[in-house]
Amino acid sequence: MNILIMGPAGSGKGTMSKKLHDEFGVAHISTGDMLRENVKNNTPLGHQAKDFMETGRLVPDELINEMVKERLLRADVEKGYLMDGFPRTLVQAKAFEDITKEINKPVDIVVNLKVDVDTLAARITGRRVCKNCGAIYHIKNSPSKVEGICDVCGNATVQRPDDTLEQLQVRLKEHTTNTEPVLDYYREKGLVQDFEASRPADEVWLEIKQAIEAIF
Ligand SMILES: [Zn+2]
């Protein structure tokens, strides 16, 4: 089973990815982790990527595609893959199509997590962080015992500078601009299933699980 998972920050993508890995044995492949691992192990591809990263340039698509291909041929992908954060652009989606054809592991389903702006806004603007120990609170969902004071260490809790409505709107707009063409590409192939992810995680998971079981 080969899965792509998409959704903005705050959509619960990390939680669902873990559940998909545990339930179906698919290899969870995050391109960020993959890149860091190649650099750390100083693989030939990692070595090339490092040159770009150290000079502040974007790692080119061709290099990322090579890494993805190499990653998909490893033993732990036997039961399938779960791609997280890739393909991010239409160019990458088309390249990914070529790769998966070549190794005969086509995409079976694109799990698209949709969250309404109000839910994301409530999740993000209610977040408070302890400046001292990093403990995270939410003014409604998990407040500290005394407002504005960390339960763990007694220091002040604050709102992160980018946890604002303005920043959320900027991030959402970026996400939409980048992912819409990719989603449209897979929608045309009939592979996208949308999940309303504003609801509790257990409900969302049950639907995703059923959708995947229905395919196989
Ligand atoms: Zn603290």
Side-chain angles (χ1 to χ4, degrees):
M1 162 155 6
N2 303 315
I3 308 165
L4 305 184
I5 190 163
M6 299 177 77
S11 64
K13 199 162 58 130
T15 308
M16 294 308 144
S17 295
K18 188 175 182 309
K19 285 177 182 289
L20 283 165
H21 167 78
D22 292 347
E23 180 76 22
F24 297 107
V26 290
H28 180 199
I29 302 172
S30 130
T31 36
D33 292 347
M34 187 186 71
L35 197 56
R36 278 186 290 275
E37 188 206 291
N38 271 277
V39 171
K40 188 174 146 242
N41 296 338
N42 206 21
T43 65
L45 290 170
H47 190 75
Q48 288 180 55
K50 202 176 166 190
D51 286 343
F52 286 93
M53 289 154 87
E54 278 178 346
T55 49
R57 287 173 295 167
L58 268 182
V59 180
D61 273 350
E62 300 79 49
L63 205 49
I64 300 283
N65 295 341
E66 276 304 305
M67 277 186 206
V68 168
K69 188 171 157 188
E70 183 270 333
R71 181 67 187 81
L72 290 181
L73 289 169
R74 290 198 214 156
D76 68 335
V77 187
E78 191 193 0
K79 286 188 175 164
Y81 56 75
L82 170 67
M83 294 301 296
D84 174 359
F86 185 92
R88 216 182 272 279
T89 63
L90 194 54
V91 174
Q92 286 182 348
K94 287 179 177 161
F96 191 59
E97 174 94 9
D98 294 338
I99 294 171
T100 53
K101 262 193 190 139
E102 200 182 319
I103 62 175
N104 200 23
K105 289 184 196 293
V107 175
D108 295 308
I109 180 174
V110 179
V111 171
N112 184 38
L113 301 175
K114 296 175 80 161
V115 192
D116 61 77
V117 180
D118 292 344
T119 305
L120 277 183
R123 281 180 191 170
I124 287 168
T125 58
R127 187 153 58 193
R128 297 291 181 274
V129 183
C130 173
K131 267 181 127 170
N132 181 51
C133 74
I136 296 172
Y137 302 91
H138 189 280
I139 51 172
K140 272 211 186 105
N141 307 336
S142 56
S144 54
K145 289 193 188 94
V146 181
E147 195 188 322
I149 304 291
C150 177
D151 291 348
V152 182
C153 71
N155 279 273
T157 61
V158 294
Q159 189 167 12
R160 281 195 196 122
D162 56 350
D163 279 351
T164 61
L165 274 183
E166 292 71 29
Q167 278 305 311
L168 169 67
Q169 264 145 9
V170 171
R171 286 200 298 259
L172 269 184
K173 206 172 163 193
E174 255 178 32
H175 177 78
T176 308
T177 310
N178 291 331
T179 57
E180 273 316 311
V182 177
L183 275 172
D184 288 345
Y185 177 77
Y186 288 110
R187 270 191 216 286
E188 272 176 35
K189 296 175 186 291
L191 293 174
V192 178
Q193 292 205 36
D194 297 306
F195 297 91
E196 183 43 67
S198 306
R199 296 165 308 152
D202 289 350
E203 284 176 34
V204 181
W205 166 240
L206 198 65
E207 265 187 22
I208 294 176
K209 187 168 168 268
Q210 282 167 350
I212 288 172
E213 283 167 349
I215 300 177
F216 292 89

